[in-house]
Amino acid sequence: MDRSRFSHVNPQDPEFFDTLSPSTRLIHGDESFSQTTDIAPPIHLSTTYRFPSNPDDLFAGYLGQMGEGEFIYSRVNRPTEPRVEALIGQVLTSKGESPVHSVLYSSGLSAFHSALLYYNPKRIAVGKCYHGCYSVIKLLTRNYGLERLDIDCDEELLQPGDLIHLETPINPTGEAIPIKHYADKAHRRGAFLLVDSTFAPPPLQDPFLFGADMVIHSATKYFGGHTDVLAGILGTRDPKIAKQLLSDRTAMGNVVGGMESWLLLRSLRTLEMRVKKQSKNATFLVNWLQGFVNQEEEWKEGVMKGVVSKVLHASLQSEDWIKDQMPNGFGPVFSLVLKTEDMARIFPSKLHLFTHATSLGGIDSLIEWRAMTDPHIQRNLLRVSCGGEDKKDLKEDLRRGLEAISKIQE
């Protein structure tokens, strides 16, 4: 199907397209997929599609020979999914680098499971990460004997075909880990590196520049951005791997729904502006809160000594590699460690702009007493996900909450 007549962005002019910035690509990068003259892409909810009406166009094996823009059943494909995948692939591709091919899934964990099914490692080295990933690994260990190693294990324990899974920045602290170090470690042994970059979406970090073989995002978070969609993404520079992942997805059935695909498409338009502001909000609040830890701010802000114990965030790290790896911001999530468990449990109830809820990445600021959902985390830690509100308003909300906690402890 020739769809160029529906778009004012000429798909035959790649040189011009290659000069566009990420924010422009997010708005115009999928226009060659347009099948109508609608400015806003239509929502496709059908689960099945008509076969050609001309008998001469019908043949055995049609499913395996469909062309671009042809659809038969929504578990295989639907109009919105390839459009979303093309757009995400473009935003995951740094200027001048090999293109990234993305594959969309029903959740971040289904994407992680699919990556493990593709690589089929005998051993997986993993460090601090989302606790749901441990659950997937545990299932594969139970059923198939997958051996779990520590991410800082002796290099000799890794064998060709094994996998290192690195999450950076880390959930829930927001601290960054050097990608190149673990890429080199994996590749010296013939292993692969899977990087979860959910906490540093484009344009904050490109793991492929530092040696990642595959990148995963929970698209539920920043790609979705409005706390109303569940989805996951795998990105690879190898088109053959992407083709195999798509085939595997059809077999596994872990496809994203039609409405979710459309919600992602809607949200991607504003990804860069949202993420940049959210990241700046987090860095601003972290620098202010660090003053309490350093005992520089406590009297000026009227907050009693002994409330804030520690602040964790990539912006506080001083390693040489950190600014190279995260040149455009340090992520919208940080952790706040209070002096006691009771303080951490009570603190969210004293806030007005930060909603006490799990998850992150939405335009609304959230705070979570993390022990409620992660049994392995320290009991006095709060995970903070900064939204798009004014940073001064967020600061004042936290200040009032800390002051209220300090009075309770008197």
Side-chain angles (χ1 to χ4, degrees):
M1 178 187 295
D2 180 11
R3 294 185 293 232
S4 62
R5 65 190 180 92
F6 294 112
S7 173
H8 64 277
V9 175
N10 187 351
Q12 306 303 319
D13 192 3
E15 291 184 4
F16 170 69
F17 188 80
D18 287 344
T19 67
L20 301 180
S21 67
S23 59
T24 304
R25 291 189 185 195
L26 285 167
I27 297 171
H28 296 287
D30 62 317
E31 288 182 357
S32 63
F33 284 82
S34 294
Q35 299 179 11
T36 69
T37 56
D38 301 55
I39 298 300
I43 303 172
H44 297 275
L45 298 179
S46 181
T47 58
T48 191
Y49 302 86
R50 291 185 181 89
F51 288 124
S53 57
N54 185 353
D56 292 338
D57 293 331
L58 305 178
F59 53 88
Y62 179 82
L63 177 62
Q65 300 183 49
M66 290 187 303
E68 184 181 357
E70 295 181 307
F71 307 97
I72 185 171
Y73 187 58
S74 61
R75 180 166 52 82
V76 180
N77 62 356
R78 59 161 56 89
T80 315
E81 285 168 21
R83 188 168 186 161
V84 174
E85 289 168 341
L87 201 59
I88 292 178
Q90 291 165 24
V91 78
L92 291 180
T93 302
S94 293
K95 186 174 289 189
E97 298 294 326
S98 300
V100 175
H101 308 271
S102 73
V103 180
L104 186 60
Y105 295 91
S106 56
S107 71
L109 276 184
S110 69
F112 179 66
H113 185 205
S114 297
L116 295 190
L117 288 178
Y118 172 77
Y119 282 116
N120 192 26
K122 298 294 188 295
R123 286 157 288 274
I124 181 169
V126 60
K128 295 179 181 179
C129 67
Y130 174 52
H131 60 86
C133 293
Y134 298 138
S135 298
V136 174
I137 294 170
K138 187 176 180 180
L139 288 175
L140 296 182
T141 298
R142 182 192 70 191
N143 290 346
Y144 308 113
L146 175 64
E147 182 182 355
R148 176 178 157 186
L149 304 172
D150 186 87
I151 197 167
D152 292 315
C153 67
D154 189 324
E155 190 173 303
E156 300 301 316
L157 295 177
L158 292 171
Q159 301 299 319
D162 287 344
L163 187 66
I164 294 180
H165 175 60
L166 173 67
E167 184 175 285
T168 182
I170 302 170
N171 185 6
T173 65
E175 296 171 294
I177 305 294
I179 296 171
K180 187 178 186 303
H181 169 78
Y182 291 98
D184 291 345
K185 178 178 181 177
H187 297 157
R188 282 194 296 266
R189 300 297 297 168
F192 301 98
L193 177 65
L194 172 65
V195 175
D196 187 335
S197 192
T198 296
F199 277 46
L204 303 184
Q205 175 175 273
D206 181 358
F208 289 111
L209 295 178
F210 302 93
D213 296 292
M214 187 178 288
V215 175
I216 181 172
H217 284 268
S218 173
T220 304
K221 310 307 191 291
Y222 296 99
F223 287 177
H226 294 79
T227 324
D228 57 7
V229 59
L230 195 67
I233 282 288
L234 289 179
T236 172
R237 283 179 167 174
D238 190 332
K240 293 181 180 179
I241 293 178
K243 185 177 181 180
Q244 185 62 58
L245 290 173
L246 287 168
S247 177
D248 293 349
R249 186 184 69 184
T250 299
M252 293 296 294
N254 50 356
V255 296
V256 71
M259 178 60 78
E260 287 79 4
S261 296
W262 182 86
L263 288 171
L264 271 177
L265 195 58
R266 169 217 61 182
S267 300
L268 285 167
R269 311 302 189 195
T270 60
L271 173 67
E272 185 177 37
M273 64 181 77
R274 284 187 285 106
V275 167
K276 282 187 174 180
K277 180 168 186 181
Q278 290 170 276
S279 181
K280 288 178 180 177
N281 280 351
T283 300
F284 171 80
L285 295 175
V286 165
N287 289 338
W288 169 64
L289 288 165
Q290 184 65 19
F292 292 111
V293 178
N294 298 337
Q295 298 186 10
E296 297 168 352
E297 296 281 353
E298 53 186 335
W299 298 115
K300 181 174 68 175
E301 299 293 346
V303 177
M304 274 193 64
K305 182 179 180 180
V307 177
V308 180
S309 175
K310 185 183 295 184
V311 185
L312 302 168
H313 189 237
S315 66
L316 298 176
Q317 295 177 236
S318 59
E319 296 93 334
D320 292 339
W321 52 266
I322 188 74
K323 290 185 178 180
D324 288 334
Q325 186 170 301
M326 304 184 74
N328 297 314
F330 300 102
V333 174
F334 66 91
S335 279
L336 181 61
V337 182
L338 301 187
K339 290 291 185 179
T340 69
E341 178 181 336
D342 280 345
M343 286 182 179
R345 180 175 53 84
I346 297 169
F347 183 57
S349 67
K350 303 300 179 181
L351 302 176
H352 300 284
L353 301 181
F354 289 87
T355 301
H356 191 199
T358 195
S359 199
L360 56 114
I363 202 68
D364 305 274
S365 290
L366 303 179
I367 190 168
E368 180 186 15
W369 180 37
R370 190 60 180 163
M372 290 187 65
T373 57
D374 186 348
H376 307 292
I377 206 69
Q378 62 189 98
R379 298 288 185 89
N380 57 336
L381 183 142
L382 294 150
R383 186 179 69 184
V384 183
S385 171
C386 292
E389 301 92 343
D390 188 277
K391 62 184 180 181
K392 294 180 181 178
D393 295 332
L394 295 177
K395 174 184 174 182
E396 178 62 13
D397 195 31
L398 291 176
R399 188 198 68 77
R400 288 162 60 95
L402 291 171
E403 189 169 29
I405 289 294
S406 71
K407 292 177 180 178
I408 291 174
Q409 301 301 318
E410 286 181 356

